[in-house]
């Protein structure tokens, strides 16, 4: 049972307030923001996603630059509230096309109307974009992105992509997926619609100072954004060597099975709309076409899986220069193919609280990567920062290419003499690698069967797929 729902921006301004029940007298947006800011000032971190303040339970989640908050005085299940918030965010994204502060303000009436249809007296009515679309009367307001040529100082030209061989007739911008399901039938250039498929895996790994893996896990999910104009049947073919279920084996048996071609997955959770009749036989999933975004399934691999591969090797070394000065050297080796790259690489190194001064040196700058024959080059960008307030050093690199290395040095000065420096770390790394799945799970095919027809379109995975017969995939 939800009493209130309100949306804030990153500055704490209230963008939307919806009060469903009178058990909470006033809007709690201001109380929440004061507690949120004070908690970050005192403890240098945001408060927990669930907390109680003056007898009111607060549930909050951040999506981009927006903060969604729910209040309730009842003993409401947190899992239910966060699932409801996630579905509300998905519906708003389906209707706006792109969910950010600018689009939210431009489509305020549409957001208010959608939330009013989803919730009635604090209870969830429906969260399906296809069903709610029939009751939505407002139309989305499109925010046209600013052209790069209009940006002051920008020298970007589309012709440069062709020179670098990064643009082809099949290339489609990632912004093409940010469209509203309410615009169906307005785009005359595409009579059949589009569908976008993303297989996303999140890798969690902990290693010791010698590089030995302590714990690891992988969480993956298949996200589909469907904008088909006509009712169709979607069929997804997964890797045939997937094996669901965790077998109990000793360490030696697990080491012997590392060369097995099977991909052992601990658990698979499927969406209720999927047809699983052919899944056991040939790993095929089918469902009826829908509107908007839907997570078809998610899965998890445990620490005992032999398929977990760490894309980066981290080698730290701490050297004592004097009784108060130390030098921390961190070398990173990217163990990816030379044709791949990490689009985002951010390393966080907590330093001792008694650090009085720290300086960072880039020992091994990123190499220049040649992309064409005409002499144009594209380099990785490094950014080194040290926050004296939180005592955290940050190393950020854009485009960390495979089979390349990086190395930094941090000179640390502490306030008093000591023999050893033990309170350094732990080092944490966050990265994103496009077109790469650590488990090796793939989408072998996607067949779109129009209603009443027997022909189908077979297209490559990990790309936006054209829905018309015979049309090529749109990369």
């Amino acid at each position: 049972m939800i009493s209130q729902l309100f949306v804030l921006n990153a500055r704490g301004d209230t963008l939307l307030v919806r009060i469903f029940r009178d058990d909470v007298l006033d809007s709690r947006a201001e109380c929440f923001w004061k507690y949120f800011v004070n908690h970050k000032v005192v403890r240098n971190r945001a408060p927990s996603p669930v907390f109680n303040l003056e007898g009111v339970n607060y549930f909050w989640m951040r999506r981009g630059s927006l903060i969604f908050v729910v209040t309730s005085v009842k003993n409401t299940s947190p899992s239910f509230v966060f699932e409801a918030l996630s579905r509300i965010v998905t519906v708003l994204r389906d209707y706006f096309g792109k969910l950010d502060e600018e689009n939210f303000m431009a489509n305020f009436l549409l957001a208010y109307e959608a939330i009013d249809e989803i919730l009635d007296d604090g209870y969830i009515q429906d969260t399906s974009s296809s069903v709610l679309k029939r009751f939505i009367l407002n139309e989305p307001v499109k925010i046209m992105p600013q052209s790069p040529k209009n940006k002051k100082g920008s020298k970007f030209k589309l012709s440069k992509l062709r020179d670098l061989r990064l643009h082809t007739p099949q290339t489609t911008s990632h912004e093409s997926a940010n469209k509203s399901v309410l615009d169906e039938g307005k785009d005359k250039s595409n009579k059949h619609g589009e569908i976008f498929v993303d297989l996303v895996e999140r890798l969690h790994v902990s290693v010791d100072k010698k590089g030995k893996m302590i714990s690891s896990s992988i969480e993956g999910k298949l996200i589909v954004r469907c904008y088909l104009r006509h009712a169709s049947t979607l069929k997804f073919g997964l890797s045939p060597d997937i094996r669901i279920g965790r077998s109990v084996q000793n360490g030696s048996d697990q080491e012997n099975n590392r060369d097995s071609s099977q991909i052992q997955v601990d658990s698979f959770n499927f969406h209720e709309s999927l047809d699983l009749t052919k899944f056991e036989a040939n790993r095929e999933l089918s469902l009826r076409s829908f509107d908007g975004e839907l997570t078809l399934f998610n899965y998890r691999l445990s620490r005992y899986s032999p398929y977990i591969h760490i894309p980066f090797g981290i080698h730290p070394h701490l050297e004592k220069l004097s009784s108060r000065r130390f030098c921390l050297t961190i070398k990173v080796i990217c163990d990816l193919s030379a044709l791949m790259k990490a689009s985002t690489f951010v390393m966080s190194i907590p330093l001792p609280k008694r650090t009085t001064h720290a300086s960072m040196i880039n020992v091994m700058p990123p190499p220049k990567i040649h992309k064409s024959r005409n002499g144009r080059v594209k380099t990785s960008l490094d950014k080194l920062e040290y926050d004296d307030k939180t005592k955290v050093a940050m190393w950020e690199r854009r485009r960390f290419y495979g089979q390349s290395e990086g190395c930094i040095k941090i000179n640390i000065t502490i306030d008093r003499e000591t023999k050893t420096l033990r309170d350094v770390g732990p080092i944490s790394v966050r990265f994103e690698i496009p077109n790469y799945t650590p488990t090796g799970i793939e989408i072998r095919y996607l067949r779109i069967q129009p209603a009443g027809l027997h022909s189908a379109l077979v297209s490559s995975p990990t790309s936006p797929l054209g829905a018309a017969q015979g049309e090529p995939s749109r990369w």
Side-chain angles (χ1 to χ4, degrees):
M1 184 184 300
I2 296 175
S3 300
Q4 297 178 353
L5 186 148
F6 46 90
V7 183
L8 309 176
N9 61 10
R11 301 180 300 274
D13 301 328
T14 304
L15 306 183
L16 182 144
V17 177
R18 188 68 175 87
I19 301 176
F20 301 101
R21 306 180 65 84
D22 56 0
D23 48 9
V24 179
L25 298 180
D26 301 325
S27 173
R28 294 288 174 152
E30 185 177 354
C31 297
F32 168 82
W33 184 249
K34 287 182 179 179
Y35 181 83
F36 186 89
V37 172
N38 292 335
H39 197 281
K40 293 188 68 174
V41 171
V42 174
R43 303 189 181 184
N44 293 324
R45 59 182 177 86
S48 61
V50 183
F51 61 88
N52 184 280
L53 186 63
E54 298 178 356
V56 179
N57 299 318
Y58 291 83
F59 310 83
W60 70 277
M61 64 187 301
R62 187 192 298 270
R63 287 295 181 268
S65 60
L66 302 179
I67 301 177
F68 293 81
V69 188
V70 162
T71 63
S72 177
V73 296
K74 304 295 183 180
N75 189 19
T76 309
S77 171
S79 59
F80 164 77
V81 175
F82 287 120
E83 179 66 22
L85 278 176
S86 299
R87 298 197 180 191
I88 291 174
V89 170
T90 300
V91 170
L92 294 180
R93 187 187 299 115
D94 290 341
Y95 289 164
F96 298 170
K98 183 179 181 180
L99 185 59
D100 55 18
E101 181 180 352
E102 186 178 9
N103 278 274
F104 193 93
M105 294 299 296
N107 294 275
F108 172 80
L109 294 178
L110 179 59
Y112 195 94
E113 184 181 13
I115 294 176
D116 194 54
E117 295 292 344
I118 295 173
L119 289 163
D120 183 21
D121 197 29
Y123 293 95
I124 296 291
Q125 302 301 307
D126 204 315
T127 57
S128 172
S129 300
S130 302
V131 175
L132 295 173
K133 186 173 66 172
R134 296 178 294 180
F135 306 99
I136 301 297
L137 301 180
N138 288 281
E139 295 184 357
V141 178
K142 293 184 179 181
I143 304 297
M144 300 302 296
Q146 186 179 4
S147 176
K149 64 176 66 176
N150 297 330
K151 294 182 180 179
K152 190 175 182 180
S154 176
K155 299 181 180 180
F156 175 81
K157 293 182 180 180
L158 188 62
S159 60
K160 292 185 177 182
L161 290 179
R162 299 188 179 95
D163 295 337
L164 298 177
R165 296 181 181 178
L166 298 177
H167 183 277
T168 67
Q170 293 181 338
T171 302
T172 298
S173 170
H174 68 280
E175 295 292 339
S176 59
N178 298 330
K179 57 176 63 177
S180 173
V181 298
L182 300 179
D183 290 337
E184 181 179 355
K186 296 182 179 180
D187 186 6
K188 303 302 182 182
S189 61
N190 193 336
K191 299 180 180 180
H192 303 275
E194 294 175 313
I195 182 169
F196 299 85
V197 182
D198 291 311
L199 182 61
V200 182
E201 292 188 348
R202 189 182 299 270
L203 173 65
H204 304 270
V205 180
S206 298
V207 297
D208 59 12
K209 61 181 180 180
K210 297 181 180 180
K212 183 180 179 181
M213 186 183 301
I214 301 175
S215 64
S216 61
S217 65
I218 294 180
E219 298 175 357
K221 58 182 177 180
L222 180 67
I223 304 175
V224 179
R225 304 196 72 176
C226 184
Y227 303 98
L228 299 180
R229 299 293 176 81
H230 308 288
S232 307
T233 300
L234 309 179
K235 297 184 179 181
F236 296 85
L238 305 183
S239 302
D241 49 1
I242 297 177
R243 180 181 177 185
I244 302 177
R246 182 173 170 180
S247 59
V248 181
Q249 297 177 335
N250 55 34
S252 60
D253 292 338
Q254 293 177 13
E255 293 294 333
N256 295 333
N257 290 337
R258 285 185 182 272
D259 296 332
S260 175
S261 60
Q262 290 186 340
I263 303 176
Q264 177 120 10
V265 181
D266 293 342
S267 61
F268 246 97
N269 296 321
F270 299 97
H271 194 270
E272 59 268 15
S273 62
L274 287 173
D275 183 4
L276 305 176
T277 54
K278 296 183 180 180
F279 182 75
E280 292 296 334
N282 54 10
R283 296 299 187 230
E284 183 179 280
L285 306 172
S286 61
L287 78 160
R288 299 288 294 177
S289 59
F290 53 92
D291 292 325
E293 180 181 314
L294 188 66
T295 301
L296 297 190
F297 61 81
N298 54 69
Y299 54 92
R300 179 179 175 85
L301 277 74
S302 71
R303 56 175 295 184
Y304 300 103
S305 173
Y307 311 101
I308 295 180
H309 171 257
I310 305 177
F312 292 95
I314 303 175
H315 307 279
H317 175 70
L318 184 63
E319 179 184 0
K320 184 177 180 180
L321 304 179
S322 66
S323 58
R324 294 180 55 191
R325 296 179 61 248
F326 295 83
C327 179
L328 176 62
T329 304
I330 303 177
K331 184 177 182 181
V332 178
I333 302 176
C334 185
D335 194 19
L336 294 172
S337 169
L339 301 177
M340 302 183 66
K341 66 178 180 180
S343 58
T344 302
F345 176 88
V346 180
M347 175 180 289
S348 175
I349 310 106
L351 301 183
K353 297 298 181 183
R354 46 204 176 114
T355 301
T356 59
H357 177 74
S359 61
M360 304 180 67
I361 304 174
N362 195 344
V363 180
M364 192 179 298
K368 294 183 177 181
I369 308 298
H370 291 263
K371 286 293 182 181
S372 63
R373 299 178 180 178
N374 55 11
R376 288 191 175 95
V377 297
K378 193 173 184 179
T379 61
S380 302
L381 302 176
D382 272 6
K383 182 179 180 182
L384 304 178
E385 286 186 353
Y386 170 68
D387 190 349
D388 187 62
K389 183 178 180 181
T390 60
K391 308 296 183 183
V392 175
M394 300 288 294
W395 175 22
E396 180 179 355
R397 171 175 290 190
R398 295 180 58 187
R399 297 185 295 270
F400 206 129
Y401 288 87
Q403 302 300 313
S404 63
E405 300 179 0
C407 183
I408 63 170
K409 283 188 177 181
I410 306 176
N411 296 314
I412 307 171
T413 304
I414 58 176
D415 56 356
R416 59 179 180 272
E417 296 183 359
T418 182
K419 295 182 179 180
T420 59
L421 201 62
R422 299 182 180 274
D423 49 349
V424 178
I427 299 174
S428 62
V429 178
R430 176 174 56 86
F431 55 87
E432 295 180 6
I433 306 176
N435 301 326
Y436 173 76
T437 54
T439 60
I441 296 178
E442 297 179 349
I443 307 298
R444 293 185 292 125
Y445 60 82
L446 167 59
R447 296 191 175 101
I448 303 177
Q449 178 69 54
L453 297 178
H454 298 285
S455 57
L457 169 70
V458 182
S459 299
S460 174
T462 66
S463 67
L465 303 169
Q469 287 182 315
E471 289 187 359
S473 304
R474 297 188 177 182
W475 294 84

